[in-house]
Structure formats: structure tokens, C-alpha cells
Amino acid sequence: MPCGPRPGKDWTPHPCGPPFGWPLFWTFLRPQLLALSAAVVLALGAALLNVRIPVLLGQLVDVVARCARGHVATYLREVRRPALRLLAVYCLQVSADPPNGARVAKATVVADEALGNVRTVRAFAMEEQQAGLFRAEVDRAGRLSEQLGLGIAAFQGLSNLALNGIVLGTIFVGGSLMAGDQLSPGDLMSFLVASQTVQRSLASISILMGQVVRGLSAGARVLELLRLEPLVPLQGGATIPAHSLLGHISFNHVSFSYPTRPGYPVLQDFSLTLPPCQTVAIVGPSGGGKSTVAALLERFYEPTAGTITLDGHDIAGRDPSWLRGQVIGFISQEPVLFGTTIMENIRFGKPGASDAEVYEAARLADADGFIRSFPEGYNTVVGERGTALSGGQKQRIAIARALLKDPAVLILDEATSALDAQAELAVQAAEETLRAPQGREG
Ligand SMILES: Nc1ncnc2c1ncn2[C@@H]1O[C@H](COP(=O)(O)OP(=O)(O)OP(=O)(O)O)[C@@H](O)[C@H]1O
């Protein structure tokens, strides 16, 4: 995998964007020089043929015009030569139509995955293997593109041949008719112009066909996704007014299997009561179903049997967007941050929050100190998926985000696993402060 110049210690981004790397571009271009030269020669040949056609057509029209002025006897002999030449040029034109460009949609997925997980790829020294996968996908996309290009070229070439044949036939037969006074030169000209217009339209259809084929394959994927109906609708259902919400949660004989693994029960006849204003810890073996309990409470999935109630109401009848947006705060094992500033990442918990509220939430999550130590402070951009932060820093920002939301029920799914004991204690103290009349599950 070729690499560009490494940013050194005093590297600063170029103010007008990076300069075009011609030497690197050349390393990619060099292996393709032969194909590129062939394409250029073909394109030049096609252009020459296109220039030659009007000249030959002019010669043909000259013969027809002369015959119209009365030189009837020599018409067939004279017209044959330019007509045959024109036919030969039309035939050459069929074989000179260049193929279409590359289709690389699937290859992009491989590249995206490899680049998104670049640290893992590096850690396992899998660069060559990943580059090979990408190369294979690009080659496959290239072959498909060539097939598509050949189809379009054949269609375009054959339709050109047929239509130019019509023009040639019109001149040939029209000349004979003019010689016999059965057709006026004006009528012949009108017919020629009309057939040229039809030819141009049909030529654009062949280009359009290529776009239609590409559009259909891309559209099929989009429509497939649009047709997907979420098992749990995003909105709709009753809510509980904020003033009467206590946060009493109860799992009643819940059984559950993930839809992708229907034969593998994760929870079976599971019952649990979470009283309000209390911190409850669920402890169990890895893969025992602890995160699944949180996912069911968030209504990411529906139980296959049993019910989950909030203050005595089955959550299956409650509005999922209200439940997730206002009742439950969830901090997952792997905190997800967005590629924007720390300020915006924390504010995601409560979009209308003031700067002071954000600072307070960060302070409670023991994040304010390290955030202010960055040169850009709260305006530090965390990188794609928070790559510019340590695991513990990411967790503290995710905790600050959830604390800012101040939900009735806060779920921490091993949310402090990357924190040291002291930071974990600080976060727990913050949760205790916030707990007041609300229930929390940890
Ligand atoms: N999306 C999914 N599709 C299918 N099976 C899943 C899915 N998510 C989890 N599972 C399976 O469900 C079981 C319970 O997983 P869960 O994540 O709830 O465990 P956990 O107790 O939180 O584990 P850990 O302590 O390791 O995080 C596991 O066997 C897991 O393989």
C-alpha cells in the first residue's frame, strides 16, 4: 500500500487543502499506461472517422445533385464509390466506441471497513491482506464495468450502423427517384435531416441506457432498505406525564431470543423488579444477557414472552421515542462519539442545553479537568468515532452526555470499565447527587 509523506512534528494542514500529489498519482497511472494509450488512440480514431463521415456524405450529395441536374446515365456508377467508402467508415465506427467507466460501490465498502478499523489491521499486520481484498473487489467491479461498457458500445454502434445505413439508403434510393422525377430535391433533404435527428436521439438513448442500468442497481439497494419496516416503530403510543413518573420497572417472566438467532434463548422466564430512587447492579457471567436486559428496556427489541412494565404500564404500549428520549439514559460498553467537538458531543444529551449546563455535566462526570487541559478545550474535535481520545476519556464524555440528559432511569452498561478507581468513585458520587427522586439502574 503506497503511503504519502508522513506528517512530522511541525506538520500543519495546508490552508488551501493538500497539493495534488503528482508523483504518487504517477505510481498509480504507470501500470495502466498501455490501456490508457490504447483508449486515447481509439478515441482519436473515432474522432477521425467522425470527421471523415461528413466529407464522404458531401461527395455523395454532390453525385446526387449532379444526377438531379440530368446526368442520369452515370448515377449508379458514380454513386457506388463514395457510398461504399461511407459504409466502410460506418462499420469502423461500430468497433471504435470506447467502453464505460468503473463501478466500485462494493470495493468502497471493503476500503471503508479497512480504513475504519485501521488500528486493528495494523496491529495484526494485515495491510497486504486487506489491500488484496480491496484489489479483488476493484477488479470485479472493473470487469462488470467492462461488460456494461461492451453492451453499451454494441448497442450504440449497431444503432449508429442501422441509422447511418438508412441515411445511405435514402441518398442512394432518393437519388434514383430524383433521377426519375418521382422525388424533389427538397423532399430528399427534408427526409435526410429528419433521419439525422432520429439518429441523434437514438444515440442519446444508448447513453441513457447505461445510466438506467447503473441507476437500477443502485436504486434496488435503496428501495430494499426503504421497504424495511422496524420491528418496533420509532414513534407512537401513550406517555406518562413527567410529574407522575416514578421510574418503577418490572420484568415479568420475560423470555427473549435475538431475531437473528431464534433458536438460542438469551433470557428465559426472567423476572426482576427495579424500585425507584435506587441503584441496582446486575451481575452475571459474560454473555449472560445483562446488556440484553438493557436493550429490552430501551425497546430495541420486544420480548418473545412476558412483559416489561414502567410504573405498572406495559412499555409495549408506550411511545418508544418518549421512552428513549425522556425516560431512559443509556451509556453503553463502547461509548459512541461523533466526529465533532467535545461540546457538541456532550450537548447531544440535551440539544438546547446552555454552555454552563454542559460544563456542569462534564464536571460531574469528572471530565472537565482533562477537557480544559486540551489547547482547544471544549472545542476540541474528537476525531471520527472519538479516535483522538483515550477509552476512559470517551467514557467520561459519554457519562457527561447522559448526566446532561438527566433521565428518570439511567442505565450504565459497564460504562466505567475504562476508568481508574478514583475516577469511577467520582462518577458514582455524581450519580448519587443526581439520583434524588429518580430511579437508576447501573
Ligand atoms: N445482536 C445480537 N444478535 C444475536 N445474538 C446476540 C446479539 N447480541 C448479543 N447476542 C447474544 O446474546 C447473549 C447475551 O449477550 P449480552 O450482550 O446481553 O451479554 P452480557 O451479559 O451483557 O455480556 P458481557 O458481560 O460480556 O457484556 C450472548 O450469547 C450474545 O452472543
Side-chain angles (χ1 to χ4, degrees), residues 28-43 98-99 146:
F28 285 115
L29 186 67
R30 200 169 40 201
Q32 309 297 332
L33 266 187
L34 198 66
L36 185 70
S37 315
V40 171
V41 169
L42 273 178
E146 275 168 26

Side-chain angles (χ1 to χ4, degrees), residues 258 260-261 264 266 284-292 301 333 413-414:
Y258 279 97
T260 45
R261 259 186 233 159
Y264 179 73
V266 179
S286 174
K290 302 178 294 294
S291 304
T292 307
Y301 303 93
Q333 273 171 327
D413 189 357
E414 291 177 44

Side-chain angles (χ1 to χ4, degrees), residues 7 32 49 56 60 71 75 102 165 184 220 231 248 267-268 281 306 361 376 378 409 422 424 436:
Q32 309 297 332
L49 292 179
L56 289 173
L60 210 57
H71 305 278
Y75 172 69
S184 72
L231 286 177
H248 187 283
L267 298 177
Q268 265 180 316
E376 307 274 310
Y378 279 82
V409 180
Q422 206 181 340
E424 196 171 349

Side-chain angles (χ1 to χ4, degrees), residues 23 44 55 59 64 94 116 133 207 209 212 233 243 254 270 289 301 340 354 373 376 413 427:
L44 281 175
V55 177
Q59 289 174 5
V64 176
V94 173
L133 269 179
I207 296 167
M209 278 234 327
V212 167
H243 57 84
V254 169
F270 173 79
Y301 303 93
T340 172
S354 66
S373 72
E376 307 274 310
D413 189 357
V427 172

Side-chain angles (χ1 to χ4, degrees), residues 69-232:
R69 286 198 299 269
H71 305 278
V72 187
T74 55
Y75 172 69
L76 279 179
R77 193 155 36 87
E78 283 188 43
V79 89
R80 194 176 299 137
R81 221 177 119 123
L84 284 176
R85 274 205 213 152
L86 196 58
L87 191 65
V89 172
Y90 282 153
C91 290
L92 275 174
Q93 207 190 22
V94 173
S95 57
D97 272 322
N100 199 30
R103 226 173 24 160
V104 290
K106 207 174 167 199
T108 316
V109 175
V110 177
D112 183 47
E113 214 168 51
L115 293 174
N117 300 316
V118 69
R119 285 186 189 204
T120 314
V121 172
R122 275 267 152 94
F124 286 86
M126 295 290 272
E127 291 93 339
E128 271 311 313
Q129 197 252 14
Q130 288 295 314
L133 269 179
F134 180 63
R135 214 173 293 128
E137 287 303 335
V138 169
D139 286 349
R140 205 167 299 154
R143 276 196 298 278
L144 282 174
S145 176
E146 275 168 26
Q147 280 170 17
L148 180 67
L150 280 175
I152 293 172
F155 180 85
Q156 202 167 346
L158 287 174
S159 63
N160 274 352
L161 187 65
L163 285 156
N164 288 328
I166 291 174
V167 173
L168 204 55
T170 308
I171 294 174
F172 201 78
V173 177
S176 306
L177 291 173
M178 272 168 56
D181 277 339
Q182 288 165 283
L183 190 73
S184 72
D187 287 345
L188 180 62
M189 208 58 214
S190 318
F191 193 83
L192 272 176
V193 172
S195 58
Q196 283 287 319
T197 311
V198 173
Q199 184 197 16
R200 270 198 299 275
S201 309
L202 280 178
S204 359
I205 284 183
S206 63
I207 296 167
L208 201 70
M209 278 234 327
Q211 286 168 350
V212 167
V213 171
R214 274 193 222 102
L216 280 178
S217 61
R221 181 83 188 112
V222 173
L223 290 175
E224 188 190 2
L225 293 175
L226 281 178
R227 269 198 302 268
L228 284 178
E229 283 289 333
L231 286 177
V232 181

